[in-house]
Amino acid sequence: MSKEAEWKDSLLYYYCIKFALSAYSTLFSIIGLVILCVGIYAEVERQKHRTLEGLFLAPAVILLLLGITMFAVSFIGMVGSLRDNRTLLKTFFWVLLVIFITELLLLLVEIIFEKQMNAVFHASVQDGIRHYYDDLDFKNILDFVQQKFSCCGGDEFTDWNVNPYHACNSSGPLACGVPYTCCRKVPGEVINTQCGYRTLNKERLELVDIIYVRGCIHAVGLWLKDNFEATFGMVCSLLLPQAIGLVMAWLYWQKLNEIHSRLDTVDFKRLDMSDFNFAAVDLTGAGWCWCLPREGGYIPVHDKEENVADDAICQSKV
């Protein structure tokens, strides 16, 4: 027998893969629970001033869905690994695999159909700009993106014309202008919040020294292409933990199948437990989770057919 085969047959391998998967699932259960709590808090705050219904425009809803999914899937994997439950492990593996494949497909769709996806993002951003002053979450996100990536609007700066306060046919100090987060900043100078006044009715060349004229969709896309290492790192940080979970779940699943195929198993649903006293069971060595295995098991099981045969032999001898 090779060293690799001996290692896989050892009890140490079983414990390593078991508790590695348990630790992995527990960690992501906690992370999912934290995200879920943050999402609940954000959604409660959003409901107080809710005006937007779109999923893209509601980060709180995204946090809720992400937190629920992470916690539910990881919790199934945690329980399945601790209890050596093959059904839960299969559920964990297949659900995680579906999520992993879906993310890969979305990534491929974004790469192959870049123009079509940009159009979808543009429509979503325009809807957010239309309600810019009504949704604080989206406002903070867009302001950060415009300042971080030196851009303005979704496709271009003229997207701000869809906002009722910034439209050129409206009245007020914001009419035909853009927010100050679109303005070019001069180091050392105080920010002028009216720097975007009356810019929407001018040509791009007239504004290149005043505001950012390129749209944020293009700016973010160019940044991701120019910073390939950072983009690759973000993709790996998203997909690699899932791939590790899939590998560990598969190895542990196969290990349990091997154990069940070599050892006699008992269908506890068919046992007559009417006269069985659980208090008499010796659980020494089972651990706090009652999940550590012991040779011979914890519940003594007697084969009724063998007992009947033994009785018959004894009676015949008498």
Side-chain angles (χ1 to χ4, degrees):
M1 183 181 292
S2 64
K3 291 185 178 180
E4 182 179 356
E6 290 180 359
W7 160 246
K8 288 187 176 181
D9 285 337
S10 65
L11 194 60
L12 180 60
Y13 173 81
Y14 167 81
Y15 280 129
C16 285
I17 194 68
K18 175 187 181 72
F19 290 108
L21 181 59
S22 300
Y24 169 91
S25 302
T26 303
L27 174 62
F28 281 93
S29 295
I30 295 173
I31 294 175
L33 191 60
V34 171
I35 294 175
L36 179 59
C37 292
V38 173
I40 292 174
Y41 172 78
E43 178 63 15
V44 170
E45 292 296 317
R46 190 179 76 92
Q47 290 292 333
K48 295 178 181 179
H49 308 285
R50 187 179 65 174
T51 55
L52 302 180
E53 300 293 341
L55 181 63
F56 178 80
L57 306 176
V61 176
I62 298 177
L63 290 176
L64 283 173
L65 295 176
L66 179 61
I68 291 173
T69 303
M70 284 186 64
F71 177 76
V73 176
S74 300
F75 186 77
I76 290 173
M78 179 180 65
V79 176
S81 59
L82 288 175
R83 304 295 296 177
D84 289 352
N85 190 307
R86 288 184 293 173
T87 301
L88 291 179
L89 284 174
K90 290 178 184 178
T91 303
F92 172 74
F93 176 82
W94 289 114
V95 172
L96 190 60
L97 181 62
V98 169
I99 295 174
F100 184 78
I101 293 175
T102 301
E103 291 173 349
L104 286 179
L105 290 177
L106 290 176
L107 185 62
L108 290 175
V109 167
E110 168 60 26
I111 295 174
I112 298 173
F113 303 101
E114 183 179 359
K115 292 184 178 179
Q116 291 83 346
M117 292 303 296
N118 285 347
V120 174
F121 293 146
H122 182 215
S124 299
V125 173
Q126 273 197 324
D127 196 17
I129 290 175
R130 187 175 292 107
H131 303 280
Y132 175 76
Y133 293 103
D134 301 325
D135 190 275
L136 185 60
D137 289 337
F138 182 81
K139 181 179 183 298
N140 290 335
I141 292 174
L142 186 58
D143 285 343
F144 171 80
V145 172
Q146 289 184 150
Q147 291 178 313
K148 178 68 177 178
F149 295 96
S150 303
C151 57
C152 187
D155 190 55
E156 59 178 355
F157 73 99
T158 55
D159 286 342
W160 283 99
N161 203 34
V162 301
N163 185 279
Y165 298 99
H166 289 277
C168 289
N169 57 1
S170 65
S171 58
L174 300 177
C176 217
V178 296
Y180 75 92
T181 53
C182 287
C183 298
R184 293 184 178 275
K185 296 174 180 57
V186 179
E189 289 190 4
V190 179
I191 297 176
N192 177 15
T193 57
Q194 294 296 322
C195 57
Y197 180 73
R198 293 292 174 182
T199 53
L200 290 178
N201 57 357
K202 296 181 180 179
E203 296 296 329
R204 293 172 63 95
L205 294 178
E206 300 179 60
L207 302 172
V208 291
D209 295 327
I210 303 173
I211 65 171
Y212 304 118
V213 294
R214 67 174 179 173
C216 290
I217 295 175
H218 305 292
V220 173
L222 288 173
W223 185 89
L224 292 174
K225 293 176 182 178
D226 293 340
N227 296 270
F228 177 77
E229 294 82 2
T231 305
F232 183 74
M234 288 187 289
V235 174
C236 288
S237 65
L238 177 65
L239 298 179
L240 189 58
Q242 299 176 51
I244 294 174
L246 286 170
V247 171
M248 288 194 296
W250 172 261
L251 291 175
Y252 194 48
W253 177 8
Q254 296 305 309
K255 182 62 179 177
L256 291 181
N257 285 341
E258 180 186 341
I259 293 174
H260 279 260
S261 65
R262 289 191 299 182
L263 301 177
D264 293 330
T265 58
V266 178
D267 186 357
F268 290 95
K269 294 180 180 179
R270 297 183 180 181
L271 289 178
D272 184 9
M273 309 297 287
S274 57
D275 298 329
F276 184 77
N277 184 12
F278 281 97
V281 178
D282 180 16
L283 294 176
T284 304
W288 64 270
C289 60
W290 293 2
C291 58
L292 301 180
R294 185 174 72 181
E295 186 176 356
Y298 293 96
I299 300 178
V301 179
H302 303 288
D303 194 326
K304 293 183 179 179
E305 294 182 358
E306 291 183 1
N307 292 338
V308 172
D310 293 340
D311 293 342
I313 293 173
C314 292
Q315 290 177 3
S316 64
K317 290 182 177 179
V318 173

